[in-house]
Amino acid sequence: MSTIRLRTSIPGPHSQEWLRRRTNAVARGVSQITPVFIERAEGAVIEDIDGNRFIDFAGGIGCLNAGHCAPDVVAALHRQIERFLHTCFMVTPYESYVKLAERLNALAPGDFPKKTLLLNSGAEAVENAVKIARAYTRRPAVICFEDAFHGRTLLAMSLTSKTHPYKAGFEPFASDVYRIPYAYCYRCSYGLTYPSCGMHCGHHLEDTFARVVAAESVAAVIVEPVLGEGGFVTPPAEFLGTVQEICRRHGIVFIADEVQTGFGRTGRLFACEHFGVAPDLLVTAKSLGGGLPLAAVTGRAEIMDHTGPGSLGGTFGGNPLACEAALAVLDVMERDKLPERATQLGERFVTRARAWQARWPLIGDVRGLGAMQAMELVRETQEPAAEETKQIARYCYEHGLIVISAGSYSNVIRILMPLVITDEQFEEGLGVLESAFEAVVTRTREREGVVA
Ligand SMILES: Cc1ncc(COP(=O)(O)O)c(C=O)c1O
């Protein structure tokens, strides 16, 4: 039986009315990807206010690995709502913050003592990780990567790579931020090919110390183990280890931003585990809170404890509802083996996507780790196919599937469905995606006068 149910054309009349009100009331800078308003959601399914039912391949941008309204999360929230909503952990503490810190310390890669700080968003956690690294090293500079995304606040935006829409017009940026190429093999910045490149981009960090910023001025290198908004670029196995080893040699704090790669998405709880690296500081958010705003910095105790009482925190950081949700998310991850499910889903996706790639040259690259998978869409000579990407996303929502794009050139279709999606729902969603390619490729050929 089909999960998708379309009762109206998309958007339906009720959504249209709210879209009008939204346009009048909400700042234009907040983007609008899918033009429907939501009534309820469960697992991997979303229903809108016109009674249309969608399969969700976006998961609120990777925040719902444990599913929409995961029953254990909802039950934990109900229990907490009856007790208290907020006290501020810094004023009158509560157990769930400490329990969550203990669990994250135990789960984060690395066989060394760890401590955790809880915050509200990925960007806030990134800001704090850099702040802690600067205090610990007493150095100013941070090195980040091309195509990285670390958030929209001043420092996080400065660390982010993509200019439009994230940075252009928001100058001046935070100082002492330096950027080097990531291991984006499909578009290698050096025109090299892996593995004959000898991992040139990783080793390039040493060159940066000679030509751009002295190693003794660098507090931290911050890196996503797989680029998220940058297009799910998955580096070769030794890239992160190479970077970490160089950091270690120069006393630089190695920060892994696992805001999007974390909590089972890649087939392990953290993507760093695939690469055998244990970051000095691990930044997490998104799926940690099971749909509630929560983020964390977990790292080496001697680094985390370097700053004095009152130097870290915030009014709402580690809110009791969010902490209870996160504890339930971690239970569900373990009990239902969601990282393993991610591996299965990823394999199924890759099989389908490679078959599509053989059929449609529009798909230039299929890549990812576990269920963090994507397709980069190109025209001849790898010219980014941003318009086709937009058309595919649009076809999908008009036919009951919510997907989102990514990439510095806005030409990547990525999948971030809840890992609790059923096999039937996943196949149904892939079927819509396949029809979308069929329709968009046919339309493009017709427009260009190519006879199939
Ligand atoms: C890798 C990464 N870091 C940081 C952020 C920022 O997180 P937030 O939107 O919660 O501030 C994101 C958001 O997409 C992300 O993907």
Side-chain angles (χ1 to χ4, degrees):
M1 212 186 81
S2 163
T3 294
I4 294 170
R5 180 185 70 195
L6 298 180
R7 290 189 163 154
T8 67
S9 58
I10 306 297
H14 292 101
S15 280
Q16 283 184 36
E17 170 57 18
W18 279 98
L19 285 165
R20 269 190 294 278
R21 288 176 65 170
R22 177 197 151 112
T23 303
N24 289 335
V26 178
R28 209 162 59 94
V30 183
S31 66
Q32 164 78 53
I33 299 174
T34 310
V36 293
F37 276 72
I38 302 312
E39 174 67 24
R40 59 173 62 86
E42 189 183 343
V45 181
I46 285 180
E47 190 172 320
D48 77 6
I49 55 176
D50 289 289
N52 300 304
R53 217 161 45 203
F54 299 81
I55 293 174
D56 182 12
F57 271 17
I61 320 189
C63 295
L64 293 157
N65 290 354
H68 286 280
C69 294
D72 299 72
V73 173
V74 172
L77 289 173
H78 278 302
R79 285 192 298 273
Q80 182 58 39
I81 281 173
E82 297 295 326
R83 296 175 62 218
F84 58 94
L85 300 181
H86 174 74
T87 62
C88 184
F89 184 73
M90 300 183 293
V91 179
T92 43
Y94 36 90
E95 295 163 25
S96 54
Y97 189 121
V98 180
K99 278 191 205 162
L100 183 57
E102 288 170 349
R103 281 188 75 176
L104 290 173
N105 295 342
L107 290 167
D111 193 13
F112 43 77
K114 300 184 203 94
K115 295 262 180 112
T116 286
L117 160 71
L118 298 179
L119 304 139
N120 300 292
S121 70
E124 193 188 355
V126 164
E127 300 262 348
N128 275 274
V130 172
K131 176 172 153 178
I132 292 166
R134 282 177 166 160
Y136 177 73
T137 57
R138 294 181 188 276
R139 301 173 179 179
V142 191
I143 294 181
C144 56
F145 288 86
E146 286 176 4
D147 305 301
F149 184 88
H150 296 293
R152 288 180 172 87
T153 53
L154 179 58
L155 176 57
M157 169 183 67
S158 306
L159 295 167
T160 289
S161 180
K162 188 172 177 173
T163 55
H164 293 92
Y166 303 131
K167 299 176 79 170
F170 295 114
E171 301 86 349
F173 303 123
S175 64
D176 295 289
V177 170
Y178 301 89
R179 192 175 308 285
I180 59 175
Y182 193 80
Y184 189 173
C185 298
Y186 185 66
R187 296 185 186 276
C188 177
S189 294
Y190 304 102
L192 299 173
T193 304
Y194 179 79
S196 59
C197 61
M199 194 35 60
H200 181 82
C201 56
H203 294 292
H204 182 72
L205 189 50
E206 288 281 11
D207 191 56
T208 305
F209 298 149
R211 296 163 71 194
V212 182
V213 55
E216 63 270 26
S217 298
V218 180
V221 169
I222 182 165
V223 62
E224 294 161 88
V226 176
L227 292 181
E229 302 304 302
F232 286 20
V233 176
T234 310
E238 63 273 41
F239 175 68
L240 287 183
T242 303
V243 172
Q244 184 179 37
E245 174 47 31
I246 296 172
C247 287
R248 192 172 293 150
R249 247 187 291 127
H250 294 280
I252 294 167
V253 175
F254 179 77
I255 304 174
D257 179 346
E258 291 235 27
V259 167
Q260 196 153 159
T261 52
F263 298 100
R265 172 58 47 188
T266 67
R268 307 290 287 266
L269 200 57
F270 301 107
C272 277
E273 297 173 48
H274 289 281
F275 301 98
V277 296
D280 298 315
L281 300 179
L282 174 73
V283 180
T284 54
K286 289 198 186 278
S287 276
L288 167 65
L292 271 77
L294 183 65
V297 181
T298 301
R300 286 184 185 275
E302 82 260 23
I303 302 179
M304 295 294 294
D305 273 346
H306 190 76
T307 69
S311 59
L312 305 174
T315 306
F316 278 115
N319 169 269
L321 286 162
C323 287
E324 290 293 347
L327 289 167
V329 163
L330 291 175
D331 288 343
V332 171
M333 287 272 151
E334 281 170 21
R335 187 195 63 207
D336 298 344
K337 300 188 171 36
L338 291 185
E340 284 151 57
R341 176 71 178 147
T343 304
Q344 290 166 6
L345 290 167
E347 283 166 1
R348 289 169 80 148
F349 176 82
V350 170
T351 305
R352 287 290 285 275
R354 292 224 184 283
W356 298 340
Q357 188 182 23
R359 198 167 151 205
W360 295 306
L362 177 62
I363 302 176
D365 196 24
V366 175
R367 58 177 178 244
L369 200 54
M372 188 168 180
Q373 293 289 338
M375 298 170 286
E376 177 159 352
L377 309 194
V378 294
R379 314 189 114 229
E380 276 170 34
T381 64
Q382 292 192 4
E383 185 199 330
E387 184 48 40
E388 288 86 340
T389 305
K390 212 186 289 172
Q391 287 173 18
I392 283 170
R394 182 185 178 116
Y395 177 101
C396 285
Y397 72 64
E398 285 177 347
H399 293 80
L401 176 71
I402 296 171
V403 293
I404 50 176
S405 61
S408 291
Y409 306 106
S410 309
N411 66 326
V412 176
I413 295 279
R414 57 175 154 167
I415 57 165
L416 282 170
M417 63 282 162
L419 301 175
V420 296
I421 193 168
T422 65
D423 287 346
E424 296 72 26
Q425 290 163 349
F426 191 50
E427 289 303 321
E428 195 179 345
L430 292 177
V432 175
L433 201 46
E434 183 169 313
S435 311
F437 274 101
E438 183 89 60
V440 170
V441 168
T442 305
R443 219 181 293 153
T444 307
R445 280 185 181 151
E446 282 169 2
R447 209 178 36 238
E448 292 173 356
V450 178
V451 180

